[in-house]
Amino acid sequence: MARLQQRMAEIIPAMRDEIRSLVKEHGNKVIDQVTIGQVYGGMRGIKALTCDTSEVPPEKGLIIRGIPIKELTGRLPEEIFWLLCTGELPSKGDLEDLQQDLRKRSRVPQYVWDVLEAMPPDSHPMAMFDTAILVMERESVFRKRYTEGMKKDEYWAPTLEDSLDLLAKLPGIAAGVYRLRFKKGDRINADTNLDWAGNYAHMLGISDKPEFKDLMRLYMVLHSDHEGGNVSAHTCHCVASALSDAYYSVSAGLNGLAGPLHGLANQECLGWILMVVEKFKGAPSDEDLRKFAWDTLNSGKVIPGYGHAVLRITDPRFDAFLAFGKQHMPEDPIYQTVAKVFDIVPKVLTEQGKAKDPWPNVDAASGCLLYHYGMTEFDYYTVLFSVSRAMGMCSQLVVSRAWGEPIERPKSLPTAKFKNLALK
Ligand code: CMX
């Protein structure tokens, strides 16, 4: 047994006991109330889901297993996956063992490429990526073991197997989608000396610069998880609660990430920045930018990359990307514009007084860094996000299976009944 599986087997019994006794002792405790506004408002803020892998307090931003994301930016994504699953950072030996395990599982079956090559050439990269995941469902160890008859307290182990098989292949698939969809030439073979994200950067074939690999490592760490209620995590969770395997569940979650209100927003941010750079032939003056921001607002549009449904501070993931840009591309007018927008736009949004959060979110900087290294195909950006977010989804899945979460079934009512409740 590899070390991650071994460590999970050690910690799961205590985790199960903790949850069982919480429910047994306090199962009837009322912890929230629900308003009609919340029912019709995307269920915002209702405390009704569990997620032990990460948390997003509005005044702090992403915290993974108790560690603020800004303390994790120098780590490898493999270390983050271990942390998400176990609640601990891996030792050097643990990390090497996991990396070795992922390498062994990384070969993408030929039938995946056959399916992708048969898709219409204008297919969206996200449709291609999700199709590749779904077509591999036949590999599921969980489904095989379940069909053979497996005890409930064993469910987590084949779920972890499926997760590792899937995560190991995602960089190769995602890089293959990039090269096929954007006609970049043959697929590039993996370099077995590289880590998971470094290898992804290598197989994309965009830039040989070592810092592009570092950017991929950082990108994969920063987007890995964002608690349980966002569309992709919640969708994955809900599908998996029916005991659908990781291939079905992760693919379903990523179909949600493909939406413009979720993972697709990053391309709109870069579009706005490029518009500014083009209009002012480089980074604008403070006054020009202020006026441009007001023009955007006065035309009824939002300033992409600013504001958040939960956060009320500058997203620490934005800070990490901005610091990367400052270190590696301080002279790039696109980076300079991103930095200037950070200076000016929060003041403009505060003056306007509508947005609850005038601060930048993660999307305000990520696209500019990718663009700098030559990844100019905006449509692809959500695939990068997906490779990373699959770590969060898989770890949430393993944890849910480990404590034996039941099938989700919240109650719905017709509007007529809500009206009656409102008038009571
Ligand atoms: N520019 C202009 N107006 C904004 C704004 C922005 N960046 N952010 C919020 N507002 C406006 C809203 O449109 C809303 O206006 P109306 O009352 O006229 O409808 C008002 O301020 C209040 O909105 P809010 O409660 O502060 O924000 P929401 O929770 O409704 O929406 C979000 C959050 C992210 C969709 C919104 O801030 C937005 O549209 N931002 C720009 C797009 C963007 O960056 N999306 C990426 C999100 C990243 C992520 O979710 O991870």
Side-chain angles (χ1 to χ4, degrees):
M1 201 191 273
R3 291 197 192 190
L4 178 58
Q5 289 84 329
Q6 213 173 322
R7 187 65 192 132
M8 291 300 287
E10 284 161 8
I11 61 177
I12 282 170
M15 182 182 95
R16 247 180 222 151
D17 288 348
E18 187 187 14
I19 293 174
R20 280 181 195 154
S21 57
L22 176 69
V23 176
K24 192 165 164 221
E25 287 165 35
H26 303 286
N28 291 323
K29 171 98 180 170
V30 176
I31 51 155
D32 211 347
Q33 53 182 1
V34 180
T35 64
I36 297 273
Q38 286 173 307
V39 170
Y40 284 89
M43 299 186 283
R44 294 282 177 89
I46 302 171
K47 294 188 211 72
L49 294 167
T50 69
C51 176
D52 285 319
T53 55
S54 68
E55 199 192 343
V56 184
E59 308 300 336
K60 290 190 179 146
L62 175 62
I63 295 177
I64 295 185
R65 292 284 196 174
I67 308 179
I69 189 67
K70 67 174 189 301
E71 291 173 28
L72 293 167
T73 52
R75 299 279 178 175
L76 288 173
E78 298 92 313
E79 293 178 276
I80 302 299
F81 183 65
W82 184 292
L83 175 66
L84 286 163
C85 288
T86 66
E88 305 151 350
L89 281 162
S91 68
K92 192 165 173 287
D94 293 336
L95 172 63
E96 283 167 5
D97 192 73
L98 175 58
Q99 289 181 316
Q100 194 52 34
D101 193 16
L102 289 170
R103 272 185 207 112
K104 275 196 262 162
R105 298 168 188 261
S106 64
R107 205 191 77 81
V108 179
Q110 179 56 40
Y111 65 80
V112 172
W113 303 125
D114 294 342
V115 169
L116 292 181
E117 281 160 15
M119 288 179 78
D122 62 349
S123 300
H124 195 282
M126 278 300 285
M128 296 172 78
F129 188 63
D130 289 348
T131 300
I133 294 175
L134 200 54
V135 80
M136 287 195 301
E137 194 279 333
R138 64 190 288 281
E139 312 285 339
S140 173
V141 181
F142 179 87
R143 180 157 65 84
K144 184 165 175 290
R145 295 268 314 275
Y146 187 83
T147 312
E148 286 164 1
M150 161 176 56
K151 287 203 284 207
K152 191 173 175 186
D153 62 3
E154 293 170 5
Y155 286 176
W156 70 268
T159 301
L160 181 55
E161 283 302 297
D162 283 352
S163 296
L164 290 166
D165 280 338
L166 189 55
L167 290 172
K169 293 173 180 60
L170 290 187
I173 293 172
V177 165
Y178 178 73
R179 300 193 65 77
L180 174 64
R181 176 62 180 75
F182 300 106
K183 302 187 173 48
K184 299 284 178 182
D186 291 342
R187 286 189 294 278
I188 297 171
N189 287 333
D191 177 344
T192 48
N193 294 315
L194 283 169
D195 55 287
W196 187 74
N199 214 354
Y200 182 18
H202 160 74
M203 290 185 286
L204 283 166
I206 291 172
S207 167
D208 284 336
K209 290 189 179 151
E211 68 259 29
F212 181 62
K213 293 190 179 66
D214 284 340
L215 175 61
M216 279 301 124
R217 293 175 184 120
L218 180 66
Y219 195 103
M220 295 297 124
V221 166
L222 295 182
H223 287 83
S224 59
D225 204 32
H226 219 230
E227 65 176 41
N230 63 73
V231 166
S232 49
H234 183 205
T235 304
C236 176
H237 193 218
C238 180
V239 172
S241 81
L243 291 185
S244 300
D245 59 53
Y247 297 87
Y248 283 129
S249 311
V250 171
S251 156
L254 294 181
N255 288 331
L257 196 74
L261 293 187
H262 194 8
L264 211 72
N266 53 10
Q267 66 185 63
E268 284 176 25
C269 299
L270 181 57
W272 193 81
I273 296 287
L274 291 179
M275 226 155 60
V276 172
V277 174
E278 195 182 323
K279 182 169 162 79
F280 299 105
K281 313 261 177 296
S285 70
D286 289 9
E287 200 34 49
D288 282 343
L289 184 57
R290 227 181 85 79
K291 189 168 172 318
F292 191 84
W294 269 111
D295 288 348
T296 301
L297 294 178
N298 289 336
S299 67
K301 295 190 193 125
V302 296
I303 299 180
Y306 282 74
H308 199 271
V310 174
L311 290 174
R312 294 296 175 259
I313 49 159
T314 296
D315 189 330
R317 300 171 301 170
F318 169 84
D319 283 335
F321 276 139
L322 197 71
F324 187 96
K326 191 173 179 188
Q327 187 185 350
H328 294 291
M329 58 197 77
E331 304 303 327
D332 185 329
I334 300 177
Y335 161 76
Q336 289 174 347
T337 304
V338 168
K340 186 155 276 203
V341 169
F342 180 36
D343 225 20
I344 303 291
V345 163
K347 292 175 199 147
V348 171
L349 285 173
T350 306
E351 249 175 81
Q352 192 209 29
K354 266 167 70 170
K356 293 189 191 72
D357 171 42
W359 303 109
N361 59 58
V362 67
D363 293 331
S366 58
C368 124
L369 307 181
L370 298 169
Y371 198 83
H372 175 85
Y373 290 106
M375 185 181 273
T376 53
E377 298 83 3
F378 293 8
D379 276 357
Y380 185 74
Y381 291 177
T382 316
V383 175
L384 287 163
F385 191 160
S386 302
V387 176
S388 169
R389 188 52 64 88
M391 287 193 288
M393 287 195 267
C394 285
S395 57
Q396 292 191 23
L397 204 56
V398 173
V399 171
S400 305
R401 288 274 156 88
W403 71 263
E405 193 172 19
I407 188 164
E408 264 192 36
R409 186 60 172 91
K411 180 71 185 152
S412 64
L413 289 176
T415 295
K417 289 217 168 147
F418 278 118
K419 270 181 159 173
N420 290 343
L421 286 172
L423 297 172
K424 251 188 189 171

